[in-house]
Amino acid sequence: MPFSRSISTISSDIAAWFVVALLLCAVQVASVSAAPVSGDPLPVNPQLRLGKLANGLTYYIQKNGTPAQRAELRLVVNAGSILEDDDQRGAAHLVEHLAFNGSTHFRKQELGAWLQSIGMRSGADLNAFTGFDSTVYVLPVPTDKPENLATGLLILEDWAQGVTMTDQAIEDERKIILEEKRLRYGYVNRMRDATLPALANGSLYKDRLAIGTEASIATNRPDALRRFYRDWYRPDLMAVIVVGDIDPDETERMVRQRFGRLAMPAAPRPRPQVAVPPLGEPQAVVYADPEAPASNLQLLYATYRRAPSATLGDYRNGLVRRLFAQLMGMRIARQPVQRGFSGEGPMPFGTNQRMYSASAAVGPAGVHKAIDVLVGENQRVRQFGFSASELDLAKRSFLGRYEHEYMARDTRASRAVVEDYQRHFLAAEPIPGIDREIEWVRAWVPGVTLDEVNAYARTAIPAEGPRTLIYTTGTAQPAPTGPQLLATVETALAATRRMAVDKAAPTQLAVQKPEPGAIVGQSEDKELGLTRLVLSNGVKVVLKPTPFSKDSVQMSAVRPGGQMLFADADKDALRFAGAVNGAMGFGPHGMADLRRILAGKNIVFGTGMSSYADQVNGSTNSADLETLLQMNYLAMTAPRRDRATFRAFVNTNAELALNRTSTPEARFANARNLAVYGGHPRAELVPRAEDYRGLDMGRSLDLFRSRMDSAKGMTYIFVGDFDVEAIKPLLATWVATLPVADLPLQVRDPGIRQVAGVTRREVRAGTEQKSVVSFDFGSDLAYSKEEALAFQTMIDVLNIRIRAALRDRHQLIYTGSAVGRYARIPRPSYSLSIVLPTAPQHVEKLETVLWEDIVELQGSGPTPAELNKAKQAMLQTYRKSVKENAYWKQRLESAELEGEDPRDILTMEQRLDAVTAAQVQAAARRFLDRERYVEMVLKPEA
Ligand SMILES: [Zn+2]
């Protein structure tokens, strides 16, 4: 989706701030007492060229074939907002924006224009991130033309020391950044402002959010910005990374020549490391907000700085820590809390700053119970450790992940490889390469003893309990006070805990092998590389073996059907039916059993009903394909019903939905949906707690099973790393034997249509000074393949215009985009939405500018440059996707459900080439219909 993210975002400003510990697995944390294997230093991946120029700049160059004809370029700067002086707040981020707005070799907007001309989309491809401690510029380039790589390196060089920063560019960018900041106004921002000081614990980080303050964005002096750039953008704090389909010799020569020219300042400022002080006396922060979508608890036990592994002995100790992390994760997953976490992880700021923490979403049982569960489980592990069977399971899972990574090593994406080198440069994380790591993991993981892990647990979990407690919640009920919560912590610490009971649990799927069916038909499609089979029960199979991702197979099954086949009265029962069914497990196995059985297998599996289709989805590593098919067999032949599981499902989801509809975003989304579809009962609104509480398990499962107990009419699709002959007996055993009771195989059109005429409505919600303007266009049509492509091209052109006019020329938005759908199911129709977040005072101007541009596009069509940019972007996206399993799976599903001709995949380049400016102009006239649209405007409450 073009423009879904904009040219720059602040990585530290993510909504998941609170649960950052969940996202990043602990890699290197506290020390392990076991004797080190060896003091030998860790080697560097031999496939990598790691070098340092005389001026201090570091470079990483590696040839990597996935994706083909593409290279990932990065400029990594070991400098972020923490280095700002008091008169420079927001400077790191402002400088990052300015890098795209004028430099030695690219005048304002030339850079963006060149990137668009080679098909790179701002946001999706080109991007940059400013954090507390670093700034990263992301630039992928197609390498089919060798000059692209040279130009890409020239851009990196300009970013490194050639940004012009004229006063005018700075003035323009201030307005865009104010709009970027405005986007973030709302609950998450308020919550973060309230909790950041406690996390930063008195350190400068509390005053260095990268976005800066409104005042600093508006009034930062240009010379203060230039001083930041001069002080910190210097060779010894920068790395250039090039990974991709390149010639390493030639690339290294270019990098050495180009970046060797950069100069070090005569008297470089020392680059300070800001430490977070150790936690002191217990403190609690309680933050209540009427728009809080959920209640969350975080317990901070300890913070510390830890050097990354440098020797083989360190690496082995790291394995023990990671096994501990895995074990602790398994323990918390069994507790009666939602989204629970406990363990070691990185802090949201600081280089190699770590913390031991625990967190959970607080469910119906309340915050006191959540504290007892989290503190209690940590106490229990401290006192009694883990069991041998838990450790076996953790090892199995750990080894499974590594074996898969090893098997998949030759098709690892350049984007992922780059990230390893980024972390090496910024935090000295080891980069020995998977070929070495697999040897160590195989040799050492089996030998890690229970005593060793349990001894480590006693040092990792601080005896004195959490020092900082953060509780964020809504205002529907009065929140407990900080002292009350701290008292609960004391009680939980003092409580007597018993050893965890390790229930005997299955390690294998309980499945009886059926008498195999047969393959009764086979045909080949050489052009598309497909094998089509018909099985003895009538089920069809499409096989597409690919070399794109080693050791991974994607599976799906589709047929016409879905929720809309059933009456409106059952809409809630249907809407959550797939989720209810999924929560149950299957056969004799609940979800906890299944997690244990599948440890180390990398299997994902699920069944569901979309509006117009019944679907099965799964993925696995190649060796476990049979296990995936067995799961599919059990899910279809041995459904499970369990009241306790159902009650837990309802409680959890009702709790999570409790405040969701109170957010301005949800109120706007609901109002928009009701306006666009005229209040059609089947148009889905944001789910409410009472929607879950009103569910009837029997009804939901009866409806779901009435479809999913039968495989009649299903087409199974397999894409990925498998052998056609080897999969056949598995299909005969596990798919040809699926029941095929009769059921309707059609799509029902419930008549969800966009209302006729023009509607414009305002929605008042929220207190922050932010607005959203949305336009929805949509209608029925006569389907045409050519028009579908012209429609998509027109949307790309429209997005280029939205950016050029609304952002670059008028600074009315930070980000905003149009997306569209041109479909055949349930009837030929299109929908096109434009969503533009802006300031309340900009709404009218934005409407005027947008319509001017649309009218111009309808009157004159796209310029040749616009048409070329749109086509290049679509072409580059296509060339990348056509070598991805997910793309093939999705296109083959569409072929089954919508009657698309899969041969269209092969003719995409020619068909795209044939799209004319006149067709795009016609599409703009037809689909941006000024007589038929719904405009919604969100404004703050008075
Ligand atoms: Zn930004």
Side-chain angles (χ1 to χ4, degrees):
M1 233 178 10
F3 292 77
S4 60
R5 288 182 296 154
S6 194
I7 201 158
S8 61
T9 53
I10 296 187
S11 58
S12 57
D13 206 17
I14 49 173
W17 167 271
F18 193 84
V19 288
V20 67
L22 285 169
L23 303 174
L24 300 154
C25 204
V27 181
Q28 296 97 16
V29 204
S31 70
V32 173
S33 55
V37 169
S38 140
D40 291 350
L42 287 171
V44 166
N45 185 351
Q47 290 174 30
L48 165 73
R49 296 203 187 184
L50 170 60
K52 199 168 209 163
L53 301 177
N55 59 12
L57 182 130
T58 309
Y59 66 82
Y60 301 77
I61 296 166
Q62 186 174 323
K63 184 170 174 60
N64 190 62
T66 306
Q69 297 206 328
R70 209 174 162 96
E72 291 290 339
L73 277 57
R74 298 286 183 279
L75 177 72
V76 183
V77 189
N78 183 11
S81 55
I82 194 65
L83 299 182
E84 291 160 359
D85 297 328
D86 286 339
D87 67 340
Q88 287 179 318
R89 289 187 65 178
H93 178 233
L94 246 156
V95 165
E96 174 235 293
H97 272 239
L98 291 166
F100 295 85
N101 271 333
S103 57
T104 312
H105 299 92
F106 298 88
R107 280 190 313 242
K108 193 169 160 64
Q109 268 130 51
E110 276 183 1
L111 178 58
W114 180 76
L115 290 162
Q116 284 176 335
S117 78
I118 60 164
M120 295 296 106
R121 290 177 158 113
S122 297
D125 299 309
L126 168 71
N127 221 322
F129 303 91
T130 305
F132 286 108
D133 305 287
S134 63
T135 308
V136 177
Y137 295 85
V138 174
L139 177 62
V141 294
T143 54
D144 48 344
K145 298 195 183 78
E147 63 266 27
N148 288 347
L149 180 59
T151 309
L153 289 172
L154 180 67
I155 291 172
L156 258 56
E157 186 193 349
D158 268 19
W159 283 339
Q161 283 191 340
V163 180
T164 330
M165 291 195 214
T166 63
D167 288 1
Q168 185 58 48
I170 292 170
E171 285 315 308
D172 287 351
E173 212 55 44
R174 292 186 202 280
K175 295 177 202 151
I176 292 173
I177 294 179
L178 283 171
E179 291 310 313
E180 182 181 355
K181 187 168 170 69
R182 187 184 312 283
L183 263 190
R184 298 155 206 274
Y185 290 162
Y187 169 72
V188 171
N189 237 25
R190 294 193 296 269
M191 182 268 283
R192 206 224 8 245
D193 287 348
T195 57
L196 176 61
L199 278 173
N201 195 24
S203 71
L204 186 61
Y205 285 107
K206 74 182 190 323
D207 296 322
R208 285 296 179 271
L209 270 184
I211 191 84
T213 66
E214 267 169 63
S216 77
I217 296 166
T219 63
N220 250 336
R221 290 198 339 275
D223 57 334
L225 301 176
R226 292 177 192 127
R227 192 176 79 239
F228 184 91
Y229 188 57
R230 249 191 343 262
D231 281 346
W232 305 117
Y233 278 59
R234 57 189 214 220
D236 66 330
L237 295 179
M238 291 197 280
V240 170
I241 308 178
V242 185
V243 175
D245 196 355
I246 50 154
D247 171 355
D249 292 331
E250 176 61 12
T251 307
E252 186 172 17
R253 194 190 60 74
M254 287 196 287
V255 166
R256 297 192 74 93
Q257 185 225 4
R258 200 168 277 298
F259 294 92
R261 306 197 282 243
L262 301 184
M264 271 299 283
R269 276 178 80 168
R271 198 274 191 223
Q273 292 293 343
V274 177
V276 181
L279 302 175
E281 285 308 300
Q283 59 162 335
V285 177
V286 176
Y287 176 67
D289 189 305
E291 289 175 9
S295 300
N296 286 292
L297 171 70
Q298 189 177 27
L299 303 173
L300 215 54
Y301 278 75
T303 63
Y304 39 88
R305 190 183 158 86
R306 160 153 290 284
S309 297
T311 67
L312 283 170
D314 292 346
Y315 188 91
R316 190 192 177 282
N317 291 345
L319 293 177
V320 176
R321 286 194 292 269
R322 288 155 76 182
L323 283 170
F324 165 76
Q326 174 106 24
L327 286 159
M328 203 67 215
M330 285 159 40
R331 270 293 174 91
I332 294 293
R334 279 162 40 197
Q335 304 309 313
V337 289
Q338 297 308 316
R339 300 192 205 146
F341 169 83
S342 181
E344 302 163 324
M347 295 205 73
F349 35 63
T351 305
N352 294 316
Q353 291 279 346
R354 307 282 167 174
M355 60 183 178
Y356 191 91
S357 72
S359 58
V362 172
V367 62
H368 296 287
K369 174 72 181 167
I371 291 172
D372 183 62
V373 168
L374 292 176
V375 172
E377 204 50 41
N378 276 293
Q379 287 295 92
R380 197 188 326 275
V381 171
R382 264 193 107 280
Q383 287 169 32
F384 304 105
F386 302 101
S387 71
S389 70
E390 283 176 297
L391 180 59
D392 282 348
L393 191 61
K395 286 180 178 177
R396 192 143 59 86
S397 169
F398 191 85
L399 286 164
R401 281 204 308 275
Y402 261 89
E403 291 294 345
H404 171 70
E405 210 177 302
Y406 178 67
M407 295 286 284
R409 66 197 180 282
D410 291 337
T411 48
R412 189 158 185 243
S414 297
R415 226 168 226 271
V417 177
V418 157
E419 280 173 18
D420 290 350
Y421 299 150
Q422 215 168 286
R423 285 194 301 269
H424 179 264
F425 177 67
L426 293 171
E429 279 193 21
I431 42 170
I434 187 69
D435 293 284
R436 309 301 298 277
E437 286 194 72
I438 192 70
E439 287 173 22
W440 303 331
V441 165
R442 282 175 185 158
W444 295 336
V445 167
V448 173
T449 65
L450 189 59
D451 282 350
E452 201 176 353
V453 173
N454 287 341
Y456 176 67
R458 284 192 293 279
T459 68
I461 306 169
E464 63 274 22
R467 313 309 286 167
T468 300
L469 180 155
I470 298 173
Y471 179 51
T472 57
T473 185
T475 51
Q477 282 120 27
T481 65
Q484 284 169 335
L485 296 178
L486 291 176
T488 304
V489 170
E490 288 308 315
T491 310
L493 280 169
T496 307
R497 306 284 167 184
R498 277 171 308 170
M499 204 158 131
V501 184
D502 197 20
K503 275 181 283 182
T507 54
Q508 296 280 324
L509 284 179
V511 58
Q512 193 83 43
K513 188 173 170 178
E515 192 57 41
I519 292 162
V520 297
Q522 173 165 349
S523 62
E524 309 292 331
D525 185 330
K526 289 263 168 349
E527 224 183 328
L528 286 164
L530 304 180
T531 300
R532 296 178 187 276
L533 306 176
V534 181
L535 307 181
S536 47
N537 58 354
V539 168
K540 290 187 287 182
V541 179
V542 181
L543 301 173
K544 168 76 183 169
T546 74
F548 307 146
S549 290
K550 286 267 160 49
D551 197 34
S552 62
V553 181
Q554 300 214 10
M555 174 187 87
S556 72
V558 291
R559 77 175 161 219
Q563 298 178 32
M564 296 302 167
L565 276 183
F566 298 93
D568 294 356
D570 278 321
K571 65 172 185 155
D572 282 337
L574 287 160
R575 185 177 182 188
F576 305 114
V580 171
N581 181 72
M584 297 287 157
F586 42 72
H589 309 301
M591 290 312 285
D593 273 5
L594 283 171
R595 268 195 293 274
R596 179 176 282 256
I597 292 166
L598 299 173
K601 285 197 192 294
N602 302 306
I603 291 184
V604 177
F605 175 79
T607 55
M609 285 157 75
S610 63
S611 294
Y612 305 107
D614 305 331
Q615 292 178 307
V616 177
N617 253 301
S619 64
T620 176
N621 43 4
S622 301
D624 293 312
L625 193 48
E626 181 161 23
T627 307
L628 179 65
L629 293 174
Q630 289 172 340
M631 290 170 73
N632 177 66
Y633 181 84
L634 282 172
M636 222 165 246
T637 58
R640 187 168 174 275
R641 292 188 184 211
D642 172 19
R643 252 246 165 248
T645 303
F646 177 72
R647 273 194 300 274
F649 172 88
V650 168
N651 281 339
T652 302
N653 285 286
E655 174 69 19
L656 293 176
L658 199 56
N659 282 329
R660 209 179 285 154
T661 42
S662 65
T663 66
E665 292 78 13
R667 285 158 66 189
F668 183 66
N670 280 347
R672 185 176 155 206
N673 184 317
L674 290 168
V676 171
Y677 299 113
H680 194 287
R682 298 304 285 273
E684 285 184 355
L685 301 178
V686 177
R688 302 164 302 172
E690 53 264 44
D691 297 336
Y692 289 102
R693 294 209 186 99
L695 281 178
D696 172 344
M697 178 179 87
R699 187 66 190 151
S700 269
L701 290 178
D702 286 349
L703 289 166
F704 195 76
R705 299 316 321 176
S706 77
R707 302 292 303 172
M708 297 312 264
D709 281 351
S710 167
K712 186 188 169 68
M714 283 281 191
T715 300
Y716 277 79
I717 298 166
F718 295 83
V719 181
D721 185 9
F722 64 89
D723 178 74
V724 170
E725 290 311 312
I727 200 176
K728 280 185 185 173
L730 303 180
L731 295 171
T733 303
W734 300 110
V735 182
T737 49
L738 292 172
V740 284
D742 201 22
L743 44 65
L745 293 174
Q746 79 251 12
V747 165
R748 188 181 76 91
D749 178 5
I752 304 173
R753 300 282 193 282
Q754 173 153 346
V755 294
V758 173
T759 306
R760 186 187 185 280
R761 235 172 252 172
E762 279 191 15
V763 179
R764 297 263 171 191
T767 52
E768 305 281 2
Q769 287 303 303
K770 63 194 283 190
S771 278
V772 175
V773 184
S774 69
F775 294 87
D776 285 279
F777 300 86
S779 179
D780 288 1
L781 45 72
Y783 188 91
S784 142
K785 200 156 74 181
E786 289 70 37
E787 192 179 60
L789 200 52
F791 173 79
Q792 291 302 341
T793 314
M794 183 269 286
I795 289 174
D796 257 280
V797 169
L798 184 60
N799 276 318
I800 290 168
R801 288 205 167 191
I802 285 172
R803 186 180 182 91
L806 296 176
R807 174 167 161 149
D808 295 342
R809 209 154 62 236
H810 293 284
Q811 293 96 39
L812 297 169
I813 61 167
Y814 165 68
T815 180
S817 64
V819 294
R821 186 177 140 74
Y822 189 103
R824 277 193 256 212
I825 300 292
R827 71 207 176 273
S829 63
Y830 82 96
S831 61
L832 195 169
S833 309
I834 306 173
V835 178
L836 304 164
T838 189
Q841 68 270 23
H842 289 159
V843 170
E844 281 176 30
K845 178 86 185 287
L846 178 148
E847 290 171 323
T848 308
V849 174
L850 178 70
W851 279 116
E852 276 171 10
D853 257 80
I854 289 177
V855 168
E856 210 280 329
L857 182 63
Q858 291 172 331
S860 314
T863 65
E866 282 174 334
L867 183 60
N868 177 56
K869 287 173 182 174
K871 285 186 178 184
Q872 281 299 322
M874 292 168 80
L875 185 67
Q876 290 300 336
T877 304
Y878 164 76
R879 284 187 180 162
K880 186 160 168 283
S881 327
V882 79
K883 299 211 160 122
E884 288 168 359
N885 291 337
Y887 174 84
W888 279 91
K889 189 179 83 157
Q890 192 252 318
R891 295 301 300 258
L892 292 170
E893 284 171 7
S894 295
E896 294 302 321
L897 290 172
E898 307 219 10
E900 264 185 33
D901 182 355
R903 245 166 219 82
D904 291 349
I905 299 172
L906 304 177
T907 56
M908 178 68 181
E909 297 208 11
Q910 298 90 296
R911 289 187 297 121
L912 186 59
D913 196 45
V915 174
T916 65
Q919 284 175 322
V920 172
Q921 181 181 2
R925 284 187 175 168
R926 172 152 190 205
F927 299 117
L928 296 164
D929 185 349
R930 290 152 72 193
E931 308 293 315
R932 187 186 177 112
Y933 67 87
V934 175
E935 179 186 355
M936 301 292 287
V937 180
L938 171 68
K939 289 213 169 141
E941 286 157 33

